[in-house]
Amino acid sequence: MIKERKKSKYKKKTRKQIVFEYLKTITFSIIFSIVVTSFLAIQARNEMLENIYLEAKQQQSVDKETALKLITQTDLLKDLHTKKYAVCMNIAELYEAAGDYNDAKLAYEQAIMKAKPDTYKPYYKLLCVLLELEDFDSANALLTNVRDYTNKNLIKFKTRSYITMGDKYYSIGKFLSAAKSYEKADYYYNKFSKKDNKIEESIKERIINSYIQAADIMVKTGLNSDAVRFLKKAEKYNNKDFNIRYKLAIVLSDSDPEKSVEYLEKLLEEKPQDIDYSVYGTALMKAANIADLDGRTTQAKYYRYKIHSIDMFINRKVIYKNDLEVDLKSFKLNKVFFTYPLKATYSFLNVSNADIINLYADFVLTSKGKTIETISTAISDKNSPLLSYTFEPNLINIKFNKKFFTKKELENYTIKVFVYKDDKYKTLVTENSIPLKSF
């Protein structure tokens, strides 16, 4: 009798299954190699950027040393008028690198005389040297003497030059002159048919900041009318900027209380938590007195009613930063299953003149300006109010859900704390990065 062949306990794989497993293994290997290669490439790129930055700093130092050696070894300015444009430019750049701006100026002036029409590089380089020497009269004369006509290169040159001049004025505290230079840059930039929004906004932001700084100086010296004039110029470039309008409201509260109230009424609708109610109340009272003197009784009553209604609104809806002392008591980082849960304890102390019944807070975890996670919780309520004139703060413990896998990763994160009575009007009271001592 023929014996039956013993069956294998392992089921034989089909050709299709073998091919599938083979492809799966290859795919996994390819994906793994791509991930590893990408990681190594990113690391190499970061190292390369760091090396480039270091080399650039070292090169700058070497250039100055080299330039000084060349200048001391030979008289480069000798017979400069006989030399070609490119040679004059090279000599000028050597003197500029060495910090000898007076001789660099002479060389750039010779380069301008030998430059082709519509070549503006030597003009710009000379302008930069004149600004280093703080010879603003010569710098302005240089730009004025370059004839205006429809030419893309000239428009670009003048736009860039006036921005550079404005930056120099701003750096030494001549804010009004800076604003005028930036306005000239804006004038020339507007001649471009195609515009870049970032450049346009950058110029306008420079103008606004210059006028605001000039206005602040006027306020300190008691010249409020000039401060109003400069702030009005800034407002012309951005009539929605809260900071500009608030500054105007404060300055006008003495000279024109009714105009100040007009500004404050609109600002109260936007950010009541950022408005000083005492300034608003004083402006309303002055406006009411002026209306009474002018025989406008109805308007005077309206201003006085506003004082009362705003007081009620502030008490119910708004919390000011100065009403609270918010302190970070501790960060807790205990490793749990290969991750680092982030826990923190904050204390909230009421330093205002009234008890705070219903108060809430948002603890916002951010990284590079982006919100990662938000935890909302009550700080006080009817059963546990924040009492005024007490030394016992309310302690709040929070724990974020985000998983952190390395301690180093936590260095990139920040916690912002917003408090509010009404979630329409949130006030930023503190902002903390993760302290290194926590690690």
Side-chain angles (χ1 to χ4, degrees), residues 37-82:
T37 305
S38 299
F39 175 76
L40 292 173
I42 291 167
Q43 208 169 26
R45 180 179 176 275
N46 291 337
E47 288 178 5
M48 183 185 72
L49 288 172
E50 286 180 13
N51 290 335
I52 289 171
Y53 177 72
L54 289 171
E55 284 172 12
K57 289 188 76 175
Q58 290 169 356
Q59 188 63 42
Q60 191 176 12
S61 174
V62 170
D63 287 346
K64 186 170 184 178
E65 289 176 11
T66 305
L68 284 167
K69 284 179 183 177
L70 287 169
I71 288 168
T72 53
Q73 286 174 1
T74 181
D75 184 4
L76 296 174
L77 294 176
K78 187 178 179 182
D79 300 325
L80 189 64
H81 65 281
T82 63

Side-chain angles (χ1 to χ4, degrees), residues 215-227:
D216 287 347
I217 291 172
M218 292 301 103
V219 169
K220 288 176 184 175
T221 54
L223 300 172
N224 285 3
S225 58
D226 287 329

